[in-house]
Amino acid sequence: MTLLHWHYPTEILVGENASSQLVSVCQTSSIQRPLFVIDSSLANTQAIQSILTACEEASLTTDIFDSFEGNPTGEQVESGNTAFLEGKHDGIIAIGGGSSLDIGKAIALVAQQKQSLWEFEDIGDNWKQADSTLIAPVIALPTTAGTGSEVGRASVITDTQSQCKRIIFHPKMLPTHVILDPTLTVDLPAHLTAATGLDALSHNLEAYCSPSYHPMAEAIAIEGMRLIKLYLPIAYTDGTNLQARTQMLIASSMGATAFQKGLGAMHALAHTLGARYNLHHGLLNAVLMPYVLCANRHYLHEKMQRLSHYLELEKEGFDGVLEWVLGLRKQLHVPHSLSELGINNQEQEVIASQALKDAAASGNPIHLSQEQYQAVFNFALNGKLDL
Ligand SMILES: [Fe+2]
């Protein structure tokens, strides 16, 4: 497999065993004392051990921070800041799924600032308060193909006080280098391959549907969906297929590149439910996907027509896309309703109100009211499509 070298949207190395280039990437980035931010379940794997050994042999001073879980919290970012400062680190190497990459980027932004994390919430020009010279460089190595956080300029962090997720943003949070190495993803179990892969689909799909004008992002989104259509079922059934794993990593980076155009109600609801129930973000998007599509269907006619042609679906237009999404979810054994994830209707009003306020809501094709969010939530809860 050829090693490719890309510069959009950041510097990206793609290919089998691309992670063996990490030391030279550190040298290019002038990182001598990297803090590894790694999912604790990965820290002892052979792949990570060889990466650490290579760094030691190159006389890099390393430490590992792994005191966090899925849906990382503000408190966990604080602990990471302490580890960064105590170890006098000069860069972050974030390895793992979305949680590792998001918390790694947040630590890089905030560890050396005088402001606290929440002061960089993605509201107005908050990010301009940061001293950009104090933001540490980040090298990102995703081990799942879903979040695309490796090419994003934001992190999603849970505020445990108000039980919501907040988006932390700064343009310099974009990793300086990304390494897409399919060998790091082969051990991902099938159910997580499905959930993360469908998160990547939700990014491409919501970005494509979002009404703002960005033809480049739109073009990336439809090709991202084509790759997912071709390769997600293969990666799900044969996790060792390196071609499928590579293409899914690329589709995932494409999704996050595309969603600079906007997200929508899938993510508005998934953020809300993820913060309240601590459920997997990709799985929530996967379950919510057809219900949100149905809520937006009257505004998507022309776009779905084009998409169905590009994806060469059996049926044209919105119905063709919906049928494909439902079929793919079924093939990947994704539950059809939120109730199957243990969610109930007791907090439906609060959930709808919180989703309405979520930053992702503004990218939805139409403005959904609180009542409409509540209706979508109830359809998804009960597994009934509003056709
Ligand atoms: Fe997502």
Side-chain angles (χ1 to χ4, degrees):
M1 196 178 288
T2 318
L3 191 63
L4 305 170
H5 202 174
W6 294 342
H7 290 267
Y8 179 77
T10 186
E11 195 146 337
I12 302 176
L13 275 169
V14 189
E16 191 179 333
N17 295 318
S19 55
S20 63
Q21 306 294 309
L22 181 60
V23 167
S24 79
V25 173
C26 282
Q27 284 157 353
T28 310
S29 312
S30 303
I31 297 176
Q32 290 293 322
R33 302 178 65 87
L35 176 65
F36 278 80
V37 177
I38 306 183
D39 187 315
S40 58
S41 66
L42 297 171
N44 293 319
T45 60
Q46 203 187 340
I48 302 302
Q49 287 304 316
S50 359
I51 286 173
L52 290 168
T53 306
C55 288
E56 251 171 53
E57 285 169 2
S59 303
L60 299 180
T61 306
T62 62
D63 273 318
I64 292 180
F65 174 70
D66 63 0
S67 307
F68 59 92
E69 288 162 5
N71 298 319
T73 65
E75 290 80 3
Q76 290 163 349
V77 175
E78 279 293 317
S79 309
N81 293 341
T82 306
F84 186 90
L85 295 173
E86 284 179 353
K88 298 186 170 51
H89 293 288
D90 57 3
I92 298 275
I93 297 174
I95 307 181
S99 301
S100 308
L101 304 190
D102 274 8
I103 194 170
K105 285 159 60 185
I107 295 166
L109 167 67
V110 83
Q112 301 181 89
Q113 306 290 335
K114 60 178 192 295
Q115 294 89 347
S116 69
L117 177 72
W118 304 129
E119 288 176 75
F120 298 111
E121 188 175 2
D122 188 15
I123 298 172
D125 281 344
N126 271 354
W127 64 273
K128 288 188 176 168
Q129 303 172 75
D131 179 343
S132 62
T133 63
L134 299 178
I135 301 173
V138 178
I139 301 170
L141 293 89
T143 61
T144 65
T147 168
S149 178
E150 68 277 5
V151 293
R153 303 178 301 168
S155 292
V156 182
I157 305 293
T158 299
D159 178 347
T160 50
Q161 301 275 301
S162 30
Q163 282 194 305
C164 69
K165 290 195 173 193
R166 298 190 190 278
I167 296 175
I168 307 300
F169 171 84
H170 192 288
K172 273 191 78 180
M173 287 170 80
L174 178 70
T176 50
H177 291 82
V178 172
I179 298 178
L180 301 182
D181 182 345
T183 63
L184 298 180
T185 70
V186 291
D187 292 329
L188 193 68
H191 72 282
L192 288 177
T193 300
T196 50
L198 289 169
D199 189 28
L201 175 59
S202 72
H203 296 155
N204 283 293
L205 183 55
E206 288 216 288
Y208 177 71
C209 295
S210 189
S212 64
Y213 183 69
H214 197 324
M216 287 172 74
E218 201 161 306
I220 288 170
I222 58 166
E223 176 62 5
M225 285 187 270
R226 192 185 71 83
L227 294 178
I228 290 167
K229 176 172 176 275
L230 288 176
Y231 293 105
L232 180 54
I234 301 172
Y236 178 75
T237 50
D238 177 10
T240 61
N241 185 312
L242 289 178
Q243 192 197 5
R245 290 294 195 181
T246 304
Q247 297 299 330
M248 281 307 300
L249 278 169
I250 294 167
S252 166
S253 289
M254 290 171 82
T257 304
F259 77 56
Q260 58 190 280
K261 183 171 177 282
L263 284 168
M266 283 172 218
H267 274 80
L269 279 163
H271 287 156
T272 303
L273 295 168
R276 301 192 85 79
Y277 291 88
N278 199 23
L279 288 164
H280 190 276
H281 169 76
L283 182 62
L284 285 165
N285 275 312
V287 174
L288 288 160
M289 195 174 292
Y291 307 101
V292 171
L293 279 174
C294 285
N296 293 330
R297 74 177 296 158
H298 298 301
Y299 305 88
L300 296 176
H301 179 72
E302 189 259 331
K303 276 195 170 168
M304 291 295 127
Q305 197 69 19
R306 269 192 284 141
L307 181 61
S308 66
H309 288 163
Y310 190 76
L311 296 180
E312 298 179 316
L313 299 176
E314 281 171 24
K315 200 188 276 183
E316 276 194 21
F318 180 89
D319 289 344
V321 175
L322 182 65
E323 205 172 279
W324 167 60
V325 165
L326 289 169
L328 181 61
R329 282 195 332 162
K330 201 170 180 181
Q331 190 181 359
L332 304 181
H333 301 101
V334 169
H336 183 58
S337 68
L338 292 175
S339 61
E340 291 167 72
L341 306 183
I343 296 174
N344 58 47
N345 66 0
Q346 285 171 5
E347 295 182 308
Q348 54 179 294
E349 282 176 25
V350 184
I351 287 164
S353 140
Q354 212 168 313
L356 181 64
K357 290 181 207 137
D358 188 272
S362 63
N364 200 59
I366 46 159
H367 173 78
L368 297 176
S369 65
Q370 184 173 329
E371 290 69 31
Q372 286 170 309
Y373 269 107
Q374 201 167 322
V376 175
F377 169 74
N378 276 306
F379 280 120
L381 188 69
N382 302 315
K384 286 197 184 131
L385 287 166
D386 182 22
L387 295 169

PDB file of all heavy atoms in Angstrom, residues 309-334:
ATOM      1  N   HIS A 309     -28.676   9.187  -6.811  1.00  0.00           N
ATOM      2  CA  HIS A 309     -27.996   8.871  -8.080  1.00  0.00           C
ATOM      3  C   HIS A 309     -26.514   8.618  -7.836  1.00  0.00           C
ATOM      4  O   HIS A 309     -25.945   7.666  -8.338  1.00  0.00           O
ATOM      5  CB  HIS A 309     -28.159  10.022  -9.090  1.00  0.00           C
ATOM      6  CG  HIS A 309     -29.559  10.100  -9.614  1.00  0.00           C
ATOM      7  ND1 HIS A 309     -30.058  11.219 -10.242  1.00  0.00           N
ATOM      8  CD2 HIS A 309     -30.584   9.208  -9.594  1.00  0.00           C
ATOM      9  CE1 HIS A 309     -31.321  11.015 -10.594  1.00  0.00           C
ATOM     10  NE2 HIS A 309     -31.662   9.791 -10.203  1.00  0.00           N
ATOM     11  N   TYR A 310     -25.897   9.484  -7.041  1.00  0.00           N
ATOM     12  CA  TYR A 310     -24.448   9.361  -6.810  1.00  0.00           C
ATOM     13  C   TYR A 310     -24.119   8.043  -6.110  1.00  0.00           C
ATOM     14  O   TYR A 310     -23.119   7.406  -6.405  1.00  0.00           O
ATOM     15  CB  TYR A 310     -23.937  10.555  -5.982  1.00  0.00           C
ATOM     16  CG  TYR A 310     -22.427  10.600  -5.938  1.00  0.00           C
ATOM     17  CD1 TYR A 310     -21.694  11.040  -7.042  1.00  0.00           C
ATOM     18  CD2 TYR A 310     -21.725  10.162  -4.816  1.00  0.00           C
ATOM     19  CE1 TYR A 310     -20.315  11.053  -7.034  1.00  0.00           C
ATOM     20  CE2 TYR A 310     -20.335  10.172  -4.797  1.00  0.00           C
ATOM     21  CZ  TYR A 310     -19.637  10.624  -5.908  1.00  0.00           C
ATOM     22  OH  TYR A 310     -18.262  10.622  -5.895  1.00  0.00           O
ATOM     23  N   LEU A 311     -24.986   7.660  -5.174  1.00  0.00           N
ATOM     24  CA  LEU A 311     -24.723   6.419  -4.422  1.00  0.00           C
ATOM     25  C   LEU A 311     -25.202   5.179  -5.180  1.00  0.00           C
ATOM     26  O   LEU A 311     -25.034   4.055  -4.709  1.00  0.00           O
ATOM     27  CB  LEU A 311     -25.410   6.463  -3.043  1.00  0.00           C
ATOM     28  CG  LEU A 311     -24.908   7.537  -2.064  1.00  0.00           C
ATOM     29  CD1 LEU A 311     -25.673   7.456  -0.751  1.00  0.00           C
ATOM     30  CD2 LEU A 311     -23.416   7.407  -1.811  1.00  0.00           C
ATOM     31  N   GLU A 312     -25.815   5.410  -6.347  1.00  0.00           N
ATOM     32  CA  GLU A 312     -26.335   4.306  -7.176  1.00  0.00           C
ATOM     33  C   GLU A 312     -27.266   3.404  -6.369  1.00  0.00           C
ATOM     34  O   GLU A 312     -27.102   2.178  -6.327  1.00  0.00           O
ATOM     35  CB  GLU A 312     -25.177   3.500  -7.787  1.00  0.00           C
ATOM     36  CG  GLU A 312     -24.309   4.357  -8.716  1.00  0.00           C
ATOM     37  CD  GLU A 312     -23.131   3.597  -9.316  1.00  0.00           C
ATOM     38  OE1 GLU A 312     -22.466   2.861  -8.573  1.00  0.00           O
ATOM     39  OE2 GLU A 312     -22.897   3.755 -10.523  1.00  0.00           O
ATOM     40  N   LEU A 313     -28.230   4.059  -5.706  1.00  0.00           N
ATOM     41  CA  LEU A 313     -29.173   3.305  -4.875  1.00  0.00           C
ATOM     42  C   LEU A 313     -30.236   2.659  -5.758  1.00  0.00           C
ATOM     43  O   LEU A 313     -30.520   3.137  -6.864  1.00  0.00           O
ATOM     44  CB  LEU A 313     -29.833   4.244  -3.858  1.00  0.00           C
ATOM     45  CG  LEU A 313     -28.853   4.910  -2.878  1.00  0.00           C
ATOM     46  CD1 LEU A 313     -29.589   5.896  -1.973  1.00  0.00           C
ATOM     47  CD2 LEU A 313     -28.126   3.864  -2.032  1.00  0.00           C
ATOM     48  N   GLU A 314     -30.846   1.627  -5.228  1.00  0.00           N
ATOM     49  CA  GLU A 314     -31.852   0.903  -6.013  1.00  0.00           C
ATOM     50  C   GLU A 314     -33.049   1.785  -6.313  1.00  0.00           C
ATOM     51  O   GLU A 314     -33.614   1.763  -7.391  1.00  0.00           O
ATOM     52  CB  GLU A 314     -32.307  -0.348  -5.254  1.00  0.00           C
ATOM     53  CG  GLU A 314     -31.299  -1.467  -5.383  1.00  0.00           C
ATOM     54  CD  GLU A 314     -31.619  -2.633  -4.474  1.00  0.00           C
ATOM     55  OE1 GLU A 314     -32.800  -2.791  -4.095  1.00  0.00           O
ATOM     56  OE2 GLU A 314     -30.675  -3.377  -4.150  1.00  0.00           O
ATOM     57  N   LYS A 315     -33.458   2.571  -5.294  1.00  0.00           N
ATOM     58  CA  LYS A 315     -34.637   3.425  -5.472  1.00  0.00           C
ATOM     59  C   LYS A 315     -34.176   4.882  -5.471  1.00  0.00           C
ATOM     60  O   LYS A 315     -33.249   5.233  -4.732  1.00  0.00           O
ATOM     61  CB  LYS A 315     -35.599   3.168  -4.314  1.00  0.00           C
ATOM     62  CG  LYS A 315     -37.015   3.601  -4.601  1.00  0.00           C
ATOM     63  CD  LYS A 315     -37.890   3.497  -3.370  1.00  0.00           C
ATOM     64  CE  LYS A 315     -38.454   2.114  -3.124  1.00  0.00           C
ATOM     65  NZ  LYS A 315     -39.358   2.061  -1.961  1.00  0.00           N
ATOM     66  N   GLU A 316     -34.851   5.739  -6.237  1.00  0.00           N
ATOM     67  CA  GLU A 316     -34.444   7.146  -6.342  1.00  0.00           C
ATOM     68  C   GLU A 316     -34.945   7.983  -5.178  1.00  0.00           C
ATOM     69  O   GLU A 316     -35.924   7.637  -4.524  1.00  0.00           O
ATOM     70  CB  GLU A 316     -35.076   7.755  -7.607  1.00  0.00           C
ATOM     71  CG  GLU A 316     -34.293   7.510  -8.845  1.00  0.00           C
ATOM     72  CD  GLU A 316     -34.763   8.411  -9.981  1.00  0.00           C
ATOM     73  OE1 GLU A 316     -35.391   9.450  -9.733  1.00  0.00           O
ATOM     74  OE2 GLU A 316     -34.491   8.035 -11.125  1.00  0.00           O
ATOM     75  N   GLY A 317     -34.314   9.133  -4.994  1.00  0.00           N
ATOM     76  CA  GLY A 317     -34.836  10.180  -4.119  1.00  0.00           C
ATOM     77  C   GLY A 317     -34.821   9.840  -2.640  1.00  0.00           C
ATOM     78  O   GLY A 317     -34.115   8.930  -2.186  1.00  0.00           O
ATOM     79  N   PHE A 318     -35.639  10.586  -1.880  1.00  0.00           N
ATOM     80  CA  PHE A 318     -35.648  10.448  -0.422  1.00  0.00           C
ATOM     81  C   PHE A 318     -35.927   9.010   0.005  1.00  0.00           C
ATOM     82  O   PHE A 318     -35.264   8.467   0.891  1.00  0.00           O
ATOM     83  CB  PHE A 318     -36.710  11.387   0.183  1.00  0.00           C
ATOM     84  CG  PHE A 318     -36.761  11.296   1.688  1.00  0.00           C
ATOM     85  CD1 PHE A 318     -35.966  12.112   2.477  1.00  0.00           C
ATOM     86  CD2 PHE A 318     -37.584  10.365   2.329  1.00  0.00           C
ATOM     87  CE1 PHE A 318     -35.983  12.004   3.864  1.00  0.00           C
ATOM     88  CE2 PHE A 318     -37.609  10.256   3.703  1.00  0.00           C
ATOM     89  CZ  PHE A 318     -36.808  11.081   4.479  1.00  0.00           C
ATOM     90  N   ASP A 319     -36.918   8.390  -0.627  1.00  0.00           N
ATOM     91  CA  ASP A 319     -37.280   7.024  -0.219  1.00  0.00           C
ATOM     92  C   ASP A 319     -36.121   6.051  -0.410  1.00  0.00           C
ATOM     93  O   ASP A 319     -35.913   5.142   0.388  1.00  0.00           O
ATOM     94  CB  ASP A 319     -38.503   6.538  -1.003  1.00  0.00           C
ATOM     95  CG  ASP A 319     -39.753   7.275  -0.558  1.00  0.00           C
ATOM     96  OD1 ASP A 319     -39.725   7.906   0.520  1.00  0.00           O
ATOM     97  OD2 ASP A 319     -40.759   7.244  -1.305  1.00  0.00           O
ATOM     98  N   GLY A 320     -35.342   6.276  -1.484  1.00  0.00           N
ATOM     99  CA  GLY A 320     -34.187   5.426  -1.743  1.00  0.00           C
ATOM    100  C   GLY A 320     -33.132   5.576  -0.655  1.00  0.00           C
ATOM    101  O   GLY A 320     -32.558   4.588  -0.180  1.00  0.00           O
ATOM    102  N   VAL A 321     -32.878   6.848  -0.267  1.00  0.00           N
ATOM    103  CA  VAL A 321     -31.858   7.094   0.768  1.00  0.00           C
ATOM    104  C   VAL A 321     -32.329   6.505   2.103  1.00  0.00           C
ATOM    105  O   VAL A 321     -31.569   5.838   2.810  1.00  0.00           O
ATOM    106  CB  VAL A 321     -31.571   8.614   0.896  1.00  0.00           C
ATOM    107  CG1 VAL A 321     -30.606   8.876   2.067  1.00  0.00           C
ATOM    108  CG2 VAL A 321     -30.984   9.157  -0.400  1.00  0.00           C
ATOM    109  N   LEU A 322     -33.605   6.738   2.431  1.00  0.00           N
ATOM    110  CA  LEU A 322     -34.133   6.220   3.697  1.00  0.00           C
ATOM    111  C   LEU A 322     -34.049   4.690   3.740  1.00  0.00           C
ATOM    112  O   LEU A 322     -33.642   4.093   4.744  1.00  0.00           O
ATOM    113  CB  LEU A 322     -35.577   6.685   3.891  1.00  0.00           C
ATOM    114  CG  LEU A 322     -36.242   6.257   5.196  1.00  0.00           C
ATOM    115  CD1 LEU A 322     -35.546   6.895   6.403  1.00  0.00           C
ATOM    116  CD2 LEU A 322     -37.734   6.625   5.212  1.00  0.00           C
ATOM    117  N   GLU A 323     -34.410   4.092   2.628  1.00  0.00           N
ATOM    118  CA  GLU A 323     -34.374   2.624   2.543  1.00  0.00           C
ATOM    119  C   GLU A 323     -32.941   2.098   2.732  1.00  0.00           C
ATOM    120  O   GLU A 323     -32.707   1.118   3.424  1.00  0.00           O
ATOM    121  CB  GLU A 323     -34.900   2.214   1.169  1.00  0.00           C
ATOM    122  CG  GLU A 323     -35.482   0.820   1.124  1.00  0.00           C
ATOM    123  CD  GLU A 323     -36.157   0.580  -0.232  1.00  0.00           C
ATOM    124  OE1 GLU A 323     -37.307   1.028  -0.391  1.00  0.00           O
ATOM    125  OE2 GLU A 323     -35.524  -0.038  -1.108  1.00  0.00           O
ATOM    126  N   TRP A 324     -31.974   2.813   2.116  1.00  0.00           N
ATOM    127  CA  TRP A 324     -30.562   2.410   2.251  1.00  0.00           C
ATOM    128  C   TRP A 324     -30.112   2.536   3.707  1.00  0.00           C
ATOM    129  O   TRP A 324     -29.483   1.617   4.256  1.00  0.00           O
ATOM    130  CB  TRP A 324     -29.687   3.275   1.329  1.00  0.00           C
ATOM    131  CG  TRP A 324     -28.230   3.140   1.635  1.00  0.00           C
ATOM    132  CD1 TRP A 324     -27.491   1.999   1.595  1.00  0.00           C
ATOM    133  CD2 TRP A 324     -27.331   4.175   2.067  1.00  0.00           C
ATOM    134  NE1 TRP A 324     -26.186   2.259   1.966  1.00  0.00           N
ATOM    135  CE2 TRP A 324     -26.064   3.580   2.256  1.00  0.00           C
ATOM    136  CE3 TRP A 324     -27.469   5.551   2.290  1.00  0.00           C
ATOM    137  CZ2 TRP A 324     -24.945   4.322   2.673  1.00  0.00           C
ATOM    138  CZ3 TRP A 324     -26.362   6.280   2.685  1.00  0.00           C
ATOM    139  CH2 TRP A 324     -25.114   5.662   2.881  1.00  0.00           C
ATOM    140  N   VAL A 325     -30.451   3.662   4.344  1.00  0.00           N
ATOM    141  CA  VAL A 325     -30.046   3.885   5.748  1.00  0.00           C
ATOM    142  C   VAL A 325     -30.639   2.793   6.632  1.00  0.00           C
ATOM    143  O   VAL A 325     -29.944   2.197   7.473  1.00  0.00           O
ATOM    144  CB  VAL A 325     -30.488   5.299   6.221  1.00  0.00           C
ATOM    145  CG1 VAL A 325     -30.428   5.418   7.738  1.00  0.00           C
ATOM    146  CG2 VAL A 325     -29.613   6.370   5.578  1.00  0.00           C
ATOM    147  N   LEU A 326     -31.925   2.500   6.435  1.00  0.00           N
ATOM    148  CA  LEU A 326     -32.582   1.481   7.278  1.00  0.00           C
ATOM    149  C   LEU A 326     -31.946   0.105   7.044  1.00  0.00           C
ATOM    150  O   LEU A 326     -31.717  -0.658   7.989  1.00  0.00           O
ATOM    151  CB  LEU A 326     -34.079   1.433   6.978  1.00  0.00           C
ATOM    152  CG  LEU A 326     -34.882   2.644   7.480  1.00  0.00           C
ATOM    153  CD1 LEU A 326     -36.299   2.625   6.899  1.00  0.00           C
ATOM    154  CD2 LEU A 326     -34.936   2.686   9.007  1.00  0.00           C
ATOM    155  N   GLY A 327     -31.640  -0.188   5.776  1.00  0.00           N
ATOM    156  CA  GLY A 327     -31.037  -1.482   5.443  1.00  0.00           C
ATOM    157  C   GLY A 327     -29.643  -1.610   6.038  1.00  0.00           C
ATOM    158  O   GLY A 327     -29.274  -2.655   6.581  1.00  0.00           O
ATOM    159  N   LEU A 328     -28.856  -0.530   5.953  1.00  0.00           N
ATOM    160  CA  LEU A 328     -27.490  -0.552   6.480  1.00  0.00           C
ATOM    161  C   LEU A 328     -27.519  -0.743   8.003  1.00  0.00           C
ATOM    162  O   LEU A 328     -26.763  -1.546   8.564  1.00  0.00           O
ATOM    163  CB  LEU A 328     -26.776   0.751   6.106  1.00  0.00           C
ATOM    164  CG  LEU A 328     -25.324   0.903   6.557  1.00  0.00           C
ATOM    165  CD1 LEU A 328     -24.430  -0.181   5.945  1.00  0.00           C
ATOM    166  CD2 LEU A 328     -24.777   2.293   6.176  1.00  0.00           C
ATOM    167  N   ARG A 329     -28.419  -0.007   8.664  1.00  0.00           N
ATOM    168  CA  ARG A 329     -28.521  -0.144  10.131  1.00  0.00           C
ATOM    169  C   ARG A 329     -28.848  -1.576  10.504  1.00  0.00           C
ATOM    170  O   ARG A 329     -28.322  -2.137  11.463  1.00  0.00           O
ATOM    171  CB  ARG A 329     -29.630   0.778  10.672  1.00  0.00           C
ATOM    172  CG  ARG A 329     -29.236   2.214  10.786  1.00  0.00           C
ATOM    173  CD  ARG A 329     -30.195   2.995  11.645  1.00  0.00           C
ATOM    174  NE  ARG A 329     -31.557   2.476  11.670  1.00  0.00           N
ATOM    175  CZ  ARG A 329     -32.450   2.765  12.577  1.00  0.00           C
ATOM    176  NH1 ARG A 329     -32.155   3.584  13.545  1.00  0.00           N
ATOM    177  NH2 ARG A 329     -33.671   2.280  12.527  1.00  0.00           N
ATOM    178  N   LYS A 330     -29.767  -2.171   9.749  1.00  0.00           N
ATOM    179  CA  LYS A 330     -30.187  -3.544  10.039  1.00  0.00           C
ATOM    180  C   LYS A 330     -29.024  -4.520   9.828  1.00  0.00           C
ATOM    181  O   LYS A 330     -28.765  -5.389  10.664  1.00  0.00           O
ATOM    182  CB  LYS A 330     -31.352  -3.907   9.114  1.00  0.00           C
ATOM    183  CG  LYS A 330     -32.179  -5.048   9.608  1.00  0.00           C
ATOM    184  CD  LYS A 330     -33.428  -5.158   8.763  1.00  0.00           C
ATOM    185  CE  LYS A 330     -34.282  -6.305   9.258  1.00  0.00           C
ATOM    186  NZ  LYS A 330     -35.477  -6.472   8.470  1.00  0.00           N
ATOM    187  N   GLN A 331     -28.311  -4.317   8.711  1.00  0.00           N
ATOM    188  CA  GLN A 331     -27.169  -5.176   8.380  1.00  0.00           C
ATOM    189  C   GLN A 331     -26.101  -5.117   9.480  1.00  0.00           C
ATOM    190  O   GLN A 331     -25.412  -6.101   9.753  1.00  0.00           O
ATOM    191  CB  GLN A 331     -26.574  -4.663   7.047  1.00  0.00           C
ATOM    192  CG  GLN A 331     -25.550  -5.556   6.424  1.00  0.00           C
ATOM    193  CD  GLN A 331     -25.001  -4.955   5.120  1.00  0.00           C
ATOM    194  OE1 GLN A 331     -25.411  -3.876   4.676  1.00  0.00           O
ATOM    195  NE2 GLN A 331     -24.070  -5.650   4.515  1.00  0.00           N
ATOM    196  N   LEU A 332     -25.983  -3.940  10.130  1.00  0.00           N
ATOM    197  CA  LEU A 332     -24.962  -3.754  11.161  1.00  0.00           C
ATOM    198  C   LEU A 332     -25.524  -4.009  12.572  1.00  0.00           C
ATOM    199  O   LEU A 332     -24.874  -3.705  13.564  1.00  0.00           O
ATOM    200  CB  LEU A 332     -24.388  -2.332  11.086  1.00  0.00           C
ATOM    201  CG  LEU A 332     -23.807  -1.902   9.727  1.00  0.00           C
ATOM    202  CD1 LEU A 332     -23.243  -0.485   9.801  1.00  0.00           C
ATOM    203  CD2 LEU A 332     -22.717  -2.861   9.242  1.00  0.00           C
ATOM    204  N   HIS A 333     -26.742  -4.542  12.629  1.00  0.00           N
ATOM    205  CA  HIS A 333     -27.375  -4.908  13.899  1.00  0.00           C
ATOM    206  C   HIS A 333     -27.489  -3.733  14.868  1.00  0.00           C
ATOM    207  O   HIS A 333     -27.206  -3.861  16.065  1.00  0.00           O
ATOM    208  CB  HIS A 333     -26.642  -6.088  14.557  1.00  0.00           C
ATOM    209  CG  HIS A 333     -26.636  -7.313  13.673  1.00  0.00           C
ATOM    210  ND1 HIS A 333     -25.551  -7.676  12.926  1.00  0.00           N
ATOM    211  CD2 HIS A 333     -27.599  -8.213  13.402  1.00  0.00           C
ATOM    212  CE1 HIS A 333     -25.823  -8.766  12.228  1.00  0.00           C
ATOM    213  NE2 HIS A 333     -27.074  -9.112  12.494  1.00  0.00           N
ATOM    214  N   VAL A 334     -27.868  -2.585  14.332  1.00  0.00           N
ATOM    215  CA  VAL A 334     -28.087  -1.398  15.172  1.00  0.00           C
ATOM    216  C   VAL A 334     -29.537  -1.415  15.649  1.00  0.00           C
ATOM    217  O   VAL A 334     -30.440  -1.672  14.843  1.00  0.00           O
ATOM    218  CB  VAL A 334     -27.816  -0.110  14.347  1.00  0.00           C
ATOM    219  CG1 VAL A 334     -28.276   1.133  15.088  1.00  0.00           C
ATOM    220  CG2 VAL A 334     -26.333  -0.014  14.013  1.00  0.00           C
TER     221      VAL A 334
END
